Amino acid sequence: MTEFAERGSRNTKDLGRTTIADGVVAKIAFLAAGDVEGVHALGSGLSRSVGALRKRVPGGTTATHGVKVEVGEKQAAVDLDIVVEYGEVIPEVGAAVRENVISSVERMTGLEVVEVNIAVSDVRLPDEEEEEPERVR
C-alpha cells in the first residue's frame, strides 16, 4: 500500500471540530419548508415585509423570517411560522413540511432534529394580493 493510501484511510473525525451556526440551520429549514407544496410563505405579514426590505438594502442579509432554531453540538430544534394556500389540508402540509425540514437539516448538517414545531399564522386566499412594503430609496 502506498503512503498516500494509508494517510487517506485515517479516521479524521477525531482531528478537529466542525461547528454549524444557527443561521445555517435556519436557512436550510427556510428553504426546505418553502419547497413544500401548499406553503405560500414563511413568517407573519410583518416579518415578511421586514424581510423583503432587508433583501433590498445593499449588504442586507438573506431573510429567514418565520424560522427560529436552537442548535446544540449534536441536535437541533426548529420553530416555523407558515402561511398555507387556501384549499390545502393543513395537517398534511404541516406533516410534509416537518418531514422535508428534518430530512434536509439532518442530511446537510449531520445534526439530529429533535423537533419541528409549526404554527400556521394565515391562509392565503386565491384573490389576495401580496402586500408590498414601501420601497427603500
Side-chain angles (χ1 to χ4, degrees), residues 40-60:
H40 173 70
L42 276 82
S44 65
L46 178 62
S47 70
R48 289 195 313 269
S49 296
V50 170
L53 284 172
R54 227 185 261 151
K55 281 183 180 178
R56 292 180 183 165
V57 175

Side-chain angles (χ1 to χ4, degrees), residues 93-130:
V93 173
V97 167
R98 189 171 286 109
E99 185 177 314
N100 203 36
V101 168
I102 290 171
S103 172
S104 296
V105 170
E106 288 185 347
R107 180 178 50 80
M108 294 178 72
T109 67
L111 295 168
E112 175 191 10
V113 178
V114 294
E115 67 181 4
V116 176
N117 299 307
I118 300 168
V120 178
S121 62
D122 201 359
V123 172
R124 183 181 184 277
L125 301 175
D127 58 347
E128 280 183 333
E129 288 187 28
E130 194 71 27

Side-chain angles (χ1 to χ4, degrees), residues 81-95:
D81 184 6
I82 67 172
V83 177
V84 175
E85 294 283 350
Y86 176 79
E88 296 290 334
V89 179
I90 293 172
E92 290 177 9
V93 173

